[in-house]
Amino acid sequence: MEQNEKAPQDKPSRQKPDEVTRRESFIKLGLGSVAVAGCGAAVFGYEFLSPNVLYEPSPIANLGKPDRFPPDSVTPDPVAGVYIIHAAEGLYALSATCTHLGCFTAWKPELGIIACPCHGSKFNRLGIKIDGPAPRPLPRLKVWVNDEGDLLVDRSTIAPPDQFVRT
Amino acid sequence: MAKAIEGYWNDLRGTKVWRSVFRSGAGSSNLHRSLAVQQNIFLHLASVKMRRRSLAFSVTWYLGTLTLATFITLTGSGILLMLYYHPSVPQAYADMKDLQFVVSAGVFLRNLHRWSAHAMVFLVFAHMFKVFYRGAYRPPREFNWVIGVILLLVTLFLSYTGYLLPWDQLAFWAITVGSNIMSAVPVLGAKLRFLMLGGNTVNANALLRFYVLHCVILPLLAALFIAVHFWRIRKDGGLYTGKAETHG
């Protein structure tokens, strides 16, 4: 644009209005390359920041022999971060991680409820919220007995509410 | 005696070495004084002239300057704390305890860092309230308010990332809760949390990432935006004094 303004008026511009100059095409090429490189850098940056190997505990934890859990009881396992409940239908496991903001809940035997110390959410032994800000019930986790007769829990798999391990 | 000191001082300012560093030279003319500010890399962010009223305590309560003072204190004490702190799971908590009970002056530096951090957050808010209620954010200073909001966020992130480093129960659960708040961001939340923690739980990767953010990335960002913030004061016509101003 600046060039056109400075061009002497008696000398007609040889450039047609819709013609692309070499400079313009090089600028487009350059900007395009920068855009492609930018997208590539974003992808590589994202990949770099996402760890490919995590040294985190396995989601599957061994809870020991099922006869550890007496009938009609709630047993916290603070290492695995789960509760093992022995109901009339059998054994099931609840995650001990509060669905509000991830705090570790505690079983209160004197009240018969699960309570979160951070923001006061309360759950019954089915994991259903009684009180507080938690948006969802405590998830029921998949439990099964392996070949050695140990009760295992998979903390990454949510089980349907009608699934129990019979003892 | 005072005369003699003044004489030595003036001789020093006339030496070749001094003149090679401070090219403006000695002199008390307005030009000399202006050049002394303008040609100094640290002072050139400030204006060469200012209204006498803008230096009055009532105008700013010196809240911005005090915030800068806490930032400098935090940088100094933080660098010293880094000499004894390893950002690793087995060592972080023990190093923090060593700083309190074993390292000479460690408890002083740690408490200085902690109280300065609280003071900085308080002063940033106080500074912003002062600016807001005096109307000092209004044009032509509206962009410096935006820079100020960025600096508020950087300050809060510095505070948040520093909170994890003692690696005690308070730190662990505070960061667990905080990072779960982040996962409430629509669509991207869970991914953002994963990237920030470098995993699914607050663990070794999270500790290292927070350490790098706290000690390198966020302080650099803060220093950059502080420089822009101060430079903008000059560019926007000096501090707002509350008197009628004319803008050319």
Side-chain angles (χ1 to χ4, degrees):
Chain A
M1 276 184 281
E2 216 172 292
Q3 281 177 329
N4 290 348
E5 279 166 18
K6 281 179 184 168
Q9 292 190 338
D10 54 341
K11 195 175 160 192
S13 173
R14 265 177 286 171
Q15 189 193 341
K16 287 175 197 142
D18 54 348
E19 201 173 330
V20 179
T21 63
R22 183 176 298 177
R23 175 173 298 195
E24 280 166 359
S25 61
F26 271 121
I27 287 172
K28 276 183 186 155
L29 190 68
L31 289 177
S33 322
V34 169
V36 169
C39 293
V43 171
F44 275 106
Y46 174 78
E47 287 294 326
F48 174 74
L49 290 173
S50 317
N52 294 327
V53 181
L54 287 176
Y55 300 93
E56 290 177 355
S58 161
I60 297 173
N62 192 323
L63 301 170
K65 300 289 179 222
D67 53 19
R68 271 180 66 208
F69 311 108
D72 192 31
S73 71
V74 177
T75 311
D77 189 324
V79 177
V82 298
Y83 301 108
I84 303 94
I85 297 112
H86 196 156
E89 299 94 331
L91 289 167
Y92 63 93
L94 287 179
S95 165
T97 305
C98 185
T99 53
H100 179 222
L101 289 170
C103 290
F104 199 58
T105 57
W107 167 244
K108 301 282 174 192
E110 67 279 11
L111 301 171
I113 58 163
I114 295 163
C116 180
C118 288
H119 309 101
S121 290
K122 296 184 178 76
F123 307 87
N124 65 15
R125 59 171 67 193
L126 295 169
I128 295 162
K129 185 184 84 173
I130 307 166
D131 193 16
R136 290 181 305 280
L138 292 177
R140 247 183 221 217
L141 303 174
K142 188 184 164 195
V143 278
W144 70 99
V145 177
N146 72 357
D147 295 341
E148 281 85 52
D150 288 342
L151 187 68
L152 300 186
V153 60
D154 181 354
R155 288 166 289 181
S156 63
T157 308
I158 292 175
D162 55 348
Q163 209 175 68
F164 297 91
V165 169
R166 314 225 184 268
T167 48
Chain B
M1 182 67 186
K3 262 265 179 325
I5 292 174
E6 204 183 325
Y8 286 129
W9 174 239
N10 283 333
D11 286 351
L12 178 68
R13 298 222 292 178
T15 58
K16 205 175 169 190
V17 174
W18 186 276
R19 290 300 302 273
S20 74
V21 180
F22 304 102
R23 295 214 182 272
S24 53
S28 57
S29 72
N30 277 348
L31 177 66
H32 274 107
R33 287 172 166 176
S34 300
L35 285 175
V37 172
Q38 196 191 60
Q39 300 193 346
N40 183 302
I41 191 167
F42 302 107
L43 297 180
H44 88 281
L45 288 170
S47 355
V48 294
K49 285 180 182 176
M50 61 182 77
R51 290 176 203 87
R52 188 179 285 276
R53 185 170 149 65
S54 71
L55 294 175
F57 177 74
S58 63
V59 170
T60 56
W61 293 350
Y62 303 155
L63 290 168
T65 312
L66 288 170
T67 310
L68 175 71
T70 53
F71 181 73
I72 292 168
T73 309
L74 284 161
T75 310
S77 58
I79 287 171
L80 293 174
L81 290 173
M82 282 169 79
L83 298 178
Y84 279 102
Y85 177 84
H86 304 78
S88 65
V89 172
Q91 276 174 285
Y93 180 76
D95 286 346
M96 183 269 291
K97 285 288 171 198
D98 274 3
L99 276 163
Q100 274 194 292
F101 298 110
V102 179
V103 178
S104 302
V107 70
F108 172 75
L109 284 169
R110 186 167 131 74
N111 287 350
L112 182 67
H113 198 75
R114 180 191 156 86
W115 286 107
S116 302
H118 287 312
M120 185 172 171
V121 172
F122 173 79
L123 287 167
V124 164
F125 275 106
H127 175 53
M128 291 184 91
F129 276 118
K130 178 78 176 160
V131 167
F132 184 81
Y133 285 119
R134 293 187 70 249
Y137 60 87
R138 287 176 299 196
R141 300 182 177 81
E142 71 273 35
F143 187 66
N144 221 10
W145 174 266
V146 175
I147 304 278
V149 171
I150 294 171
L151 282 169
L152 168 72
L153 294 176
V154 172
T155 306
L156 293 180
F157 267 111
L158 273 165
S159 213
Y160 178 66
T161 50
Y163 210 82
L164 181 64
L165 304 184
W167 202 242
D168 52 8
Q169 284 292 316
L170 185 66
F172 181 86
W173 292 109
I175 303 310
T176 299
V177 166
S179 63
N180 275 313
I181 291 173
M182 177 171 249
S183 59
V185 172
V187 189
L188 293 173
K191 262 297 174 242
L192 279 177
R193 177 175 187 270
F194 182 78
L195 287 183
M196 187 177 73
L197 296 182
N200 299 306
T201 57
V202 178
N203 217 321
N205 281 356
L207 179 58
L208 193 57
R209 276 175 196 216
F210 275 50
Y211 177 76
V212 174
L213 280 169
H214 186 77
C215 299
V216 183
I217 297 171
L218 292 171
L220 283 178
L221 274 181
L224 179 72
F225 282 105
I226 287 170
V228 177
H229 200 58
F230 291 179
W231 176 77
R232 287 296 307 201
I233 296 173
R234 167 155 73 86
K235 287 288 154 185
D236 298 337
L239 293 172
Y240 177 71
T241 56
K243 293 276 165 65
E245 296 178 352
T246 48
H247 302 295

